[in-house]
Amino acid sequence: MRSAALFFAVLVLSLSSTLSSAQASLSGVVTDQTGAALRDAAVTIKNVDTGETRTMTSDGGGHFQTSGLPPGRVEIRAAKQGFGETHTGISLAVGQNATVDIKMQRGLPDPARAATSSPPPIAR
């Protein structure tokens, strides 16, 4: 009985180790065009293959990080008021610890605001 419990415990530990190594992690730094870190940028990571989405906010040094991502193609978007939305993509492999730094441009149109503003009147 005791050996069966020990076998089960070893099996569970090896399965959890295998599952965690079948995932990937992603980190990076969000900066402006001068290289200054951007705090509170909304970073969204979407797995193109599964549709799974994660959203986080960059810290005071502009850093963001997430782990436990399934391998596959991901799209990374960053948004912050006063900056144009930036996006890029990468393919994550099993066990990969990828780093993707994001550079945002100040003063570009905000896509959400542009979609809700009305067009200028037509001159006759």
Side-chain angles (χ1 to χ4, degrees), residues 72-115:
R73 298 175 300 146
V74 296
E75 181 179 76
I76 306 138
R77 291 187 176 273
K80 181 171 174 67
Q81 187 172 2
F83 293 83
E85 184 177 283
T86 303
H87 67 277
T88 189
I90 186 173
S91 287
L92 294 173
V94 172
Q96 183 178 6
N97 296 315
T99 301
V100 177
D101 294 332
I102 300 171
K103 186 174 284 193
M104 300 187 74
Q105 297 293 317
R106 184 176 296 278
L108 293 177
D110 180 357
R113 194 174 70 207

Side-chain angles (χ1 to χ4, degrees), residues 10-37:
V10 169
L11 179 64
V12 168
L13 287 174
S14 68
L15 283 176
S16 67
S17 173
T18 301
L19 289 176
S20 66
S21 66
Q23 298 173 344
S25 64
L26 180 65
S27 63
V29 179
V30 182
T31 59
D32 68 10
Q33 65 268 28
T34 69

Side-chain angles (χ1 to χ4, degrees), residues 112-122:
R113 194 174 70 207
T116 59
S117 65
S118 56
I122 299 173

